[in-house]
Amino acid sequence: MVSFIELNPIDLGRCSLMYPYGPTVGDSVNPKSDDGTSPEISISVPFTFYGRPYKSLYVNNNGVVSFGVNVSQYTPDPFPLDGGTPFVAPYWADVNNVLGGNVYWRQTQDQQTLSRCTADINQYFPEIPFTAIWAFVATWDRVAYFGTASKKVNTFQAVLTTDATISFIILNYANIEWTTGIASGGNAKTGLGGIPAQAGFDSGDKKNYYNIPGSRTPDILYIRDTTNVQFPGRWVFQVDDFVIGVTTEKSDCLL
């Protein structure tokens, strides 16, 4: 296992994986509310997630971007889910932004952001012609866990992008220091134990889903050291119809 060392060169490199976020780039911010959510966000370009185009989404404080309904559940379940709610989970756990941190989001057709999405996807999927026309960036910035008695915080991000036909998600991890809130059995002083965070995505059809290795185990604390695209701290998936070139076996790229 690799322990956290603040602001070493590797950590700075991981921070560079994050897309710009916060007030300076015009992000909206979720209310300070335990288990809270954004309002329903109408999106200007439908995002196709496993064959179904969605025209709105929610950014949920507990580390989930969901389609159709908001998600207030704080203890993660393993994928596939029984409830049928499709969502992307960069880090599904019991976040409490009242105790620390902010949850930011924006949809954008800013050319700089779209060019970055295009370049990233072309690098990781050179066999798929792709030029982004829309992106959605959701960022959990230095968020605390429910019942925290420590200064531990997590920073992670989900980027959704599409060319109106093909859709991708990019999951970025800058800093992960805790896995569990106390209502999920975690320790107030460490943020560890109990039922740890879940990461990946679930289409809601019980067929198309992905659990990032380490999900709901203590190893999820080290997700920033893992990848499926040879860049620790980043996971990328095509999600419009089926995952091309990504299986459970091939994605177990623990660095």
Side-chain angles (χ1 to χ4, degrees):
M1 298 297 183
V2 180
S3 60
F4 172 67
I5 302 174
E6 187 176 4
L7 295 181
N8 64 30
I10 294 176
D11 290 317
L12 293 174
R14 289 174 181 131
C15 289
S16 70
L17 294 176
M18 302 284 284
Y19 281 54
Y21 65 89
T24 59
V25 293
D27 278 1
S28 298
V29 61
N30 275 11
K32 298 284 188 178
S33 174
D34 183 37
D35 303 328
T37 184
S38 70
E40 184 176 15
I41 303 163
S42 297
I43 56 180
S44 57
V45 176
F47 185 81
T48 300
F49 193 52
Y50 286 95
R52 183 173 178 180
Y54 291 93
K55 298 181 179 180
S56 66
L57 50 75
Y58 296 84
V59 177
N60 305 279
N61 288 357
N62 288 331
V64 171
V65 176
S66 59
F67 303 97
V69 298
N70 64 329
V71 175
S72 60
Q73 182 176 333
Y74 52 84
T75 299
D77 291 327
F79 300 153
L81 301 173
D82 290 330
T85 299
F87 64 66
V88 176
Y91 203 80
W92 184 15
D94 198 356
V95 171
N96 190 339
N97 63 346
V98 177
L99 300 177
N102 288 295
V103 181
Y104 295 109
W105 54 268
R106 74 182 183 281
Q107 64 173 318
T108 182
Q109 292 180 290
D110 168 73
Q111 193 54 53
Q112 185 174 3
T113 303
L114 296 183
S115 293
R116 182 168 177 178
C117 288
T118 299
D120 282 341
I121 298 306
N122 289 342
Q123 178 180 4
Y124 306 137
F125 297 83
E127 73 282 5
I128 302 175
F130 180 81
T131 301
I133 67 166
W134 174 89
F136 189 90
V137 182
T139 308
W140 290 257
D141 178 46
R142 294 172 290 179
V143 290
Y145 56 92
F146 179 76
T148 182
S150 77
K151 296 182 179 180
K152 290 185 175 184
V153 293
N154 290 346
T155 298
F156 53 92
Q157 185 177 73
V159 180
L160 285 60
T161 187
T162 184
D163 65 358
T165 301
I166 304 172
S167 301
F168 291 91
I169 57 174
I170 302 171
L171 307 180
N172 296 319
Y173 301 91
N175 184 42
I176 300 295
E177 297 180 332
W178 61 266
T179 66
T180 324
I182 64 170
S184 303
N187 183 291
K189 293 182 179 180
T190 66
L192 307 176
I195 301 176
Q198 165 78 42
F201 58 86
D202 191 295
S203 70
D205 63 8
K206 297 187 179 181
K207 297 178 181 178
N208 296 288
Y209 61 91
Y210 187 74
N211 294 294
I212 288 180
S215 289
R216 296 179 85 249
T217 79
D219 286 346
I220 199 66
L221 182 67
Y222 307 100
I223 192 171
R224 71 193 189 113
D225 300 318
T226 72
T227 183
N228 67 337
V229 291
Q230 299 184 0
F231 287 87
R234 172 169 284 177
W235 288 76
V236 187
F237 303 94
Q238 183 186 357
V239 294
D240 50 279
D241 188 15
F242 59 93
V243 180
I244 291 181
V246 177
T247 67
T248 301
E249 293 78 19
K250 290 182 180 179
S251 292
D252 270 1
C253 190
L254 306 180
L255 301 182

